[in-house]
Amino acid sequence: MQDRITQVLKAIADPTRREIFHALVVAATAMPITQISGQFQISRQGVTKHLKTLEDVGLVHINTQGRERFCVADAKPLKEVNSWLKFYEDFWDSALDDLDSYLDGSS
Amino acid sequence: MQDRITQVLKAIADPTRREIFHALVVAATAMPITQISGQFQISRQGVTKHLKTLEDVGLVHINTQGRERFCVADAKPLKEVNSWLKFYEDFWDSALDDLDSYLDGSS
DNA sequence: TTAATATGCAACTATATGGTTGCAAATATA
DNA sequence: TATATTTGCAACCATATAGTTGCATATTAA
């Protein structure tokens, strides 16, 4: 098994999965799978698989109601990604100066 | 080809790659490949492949000096991930209330 | 009861990915 | 010059991943 942050990053690394997640976030309402899959070109089963991946990492919660399965987005797991990123925040502006001087051919 | 954000996310979705990147960031100095690979269990070629992936997305810059290839980390591409995340920041605390009421069985 | 709808399960395919090993080439050192 | 070091290239392997299709099942509607 992989650690949580790896799982979440893998989940959002797929563009289709990000689109599905985004659609659910902006929908602001729970949507059954068929309705979601109607918004994408790939097959319903393809969408279902992506939803399963998203559910596994907690980015989507699914609630069965009769024959339908309603999906809602949950952005909470993204906090962990944000925490990981935060460490590098200090570097992504300053570090390049060192790089530039290095590439100048010094040392 | 994939879009930039997807490439960056895929690059950091691998735990070994994150470790290599992190090692370079904290090293705060350029390191030749062999020296980097000495810090990991996988083969030098394995590390080289990861470095190539990191270089492709701009998270690492490589500068050849004689027979050595010095690698430096560059966190800049992570800004894009941060921007992507930012949109969901508003949701990752509030959204769950809706979810909870939903899971309560209403509607 | 019969028909339609929403879904899951399973098998399958193609390709990407993380890793390895062997070898050749370039550079540095003795 | 001979040897050691750093590296790239290429082939190879195992597994994961994104996607498909076909079929069975459960629920709802006619």
Side-chain angles (χ1 to χ4, degrees):
Chain A
M1 235 310 139
Q2 314 175 103
D3 51 18
R4 191 131 206 89
I5 178 80
T6 299
Q7 282 182 263
V8 176
L9 284 171
K10 287 213 155 118
I12 61 174
D14 183 87
T16 307
R17 221 136 50 206
R18 281 200 310 281
E19 278 187 60
I20 292 173
F21 175 71
H22 190 81
L24 283 173
V25 167
V26 299
T29 172
M31 275 195 291
I33 295 178
T34 301
Q35 189 180 334
I36 298 168
S37 82
Q39 305 180 29
F40 297 90
Q41 298 302 332
I42 64 171
S43 69
R44 172 184 60 87
Q45 281 307 323
V47 172
T48 298
K49 276 193 168 188
H50 283 309
L51 285 168
K52 175 75 165 56
T53 304
L54 291 168
E55 191 190 20
D56 285 345
V57 301
L59 284 167
V60 159
H61 295 272
I62 305 182
N63 179 260
T64 303
Q65 215 128 350
R67 69 181 160 186
E68 287 170 306
R69 307 232 300 143
F70 288 87
C71 307
V72 247
D74 179 3
K76 215 170 257 170
L78 295 181
K79 284 171 116 166
E80 203 156 347
V81 177
N82 201 51
S83 303
W84 181 83
L85 268 185
K86 212 163 168 156
F87 176 83
Y88 302 102
E89 206 162 23
D90 298 330
F91 298 94
W92 66 46
D93 282 321
S94 63
L96 252 271
D97 304 337
D98 292 46
L99 174 66
D100 288 340
S101 67
Y102 173 74
L103 289 180
D104 276 347
S106 43
S107 107
Chain B
M1 236 309 139
Q2 314 175 100
D3 52 18
R4 191 132 205 90
I5 179 79
T6 299
Q7 283 181 263
V8 176
L9 285 171
K10 286 210 156 121
I12 61 174
D14 183 86
T16 307
R17 222 137 48 206
R18 281 200 309 280
E19 278 187 59
I20 292 173
F21 175 70
H22 190 81
L24 284 173
V25 167
V26 299
T29 173
M31 274 195 290
I33 295 178
T34 301
Q35 190 180 333
I36 298 167
S37 81
Q39 305 180 28
F40 296 89
Q41 298 302 333
I42 64 171
S43 70
R44 172 183 59 87
Q45 281 308 321
V47 172
T48 297
K49 276 193 168 188
H50 283 309
L51 284 168
K52 175 75 164 59
T53 304
L54 291 168
E55 191 191 19
D56 286 344
V57 300
L59 283 167
V60 159
H61 295 272
I62 306 182
N63 178 260
T64 303
Q65 215 129 351
R67 70 183 161 186
E68 288 170 306
R69 308 232 301 142
F70 288 87
C71 307
V72 247
D74 179 2
K76 215 170 257 169
L78 296 182
K79 283 171 115 166
E80 203 155 346
V81 177
N82 201 51
S83 304
W84 181 82
L85 268 185
K86 214 165 165 154
F87 176 83
Y88 303 102
E89 206 163 22
D90 298 330
F91 298 93
W92 66 47
D93 283 321
S94 62
L96 253 271
D97 304 337
D98 292 45
L99 173 65
D100 288 340
S101 68
Y102 173 75
L103 289 180
D104 277 346
S106 42
S107 109

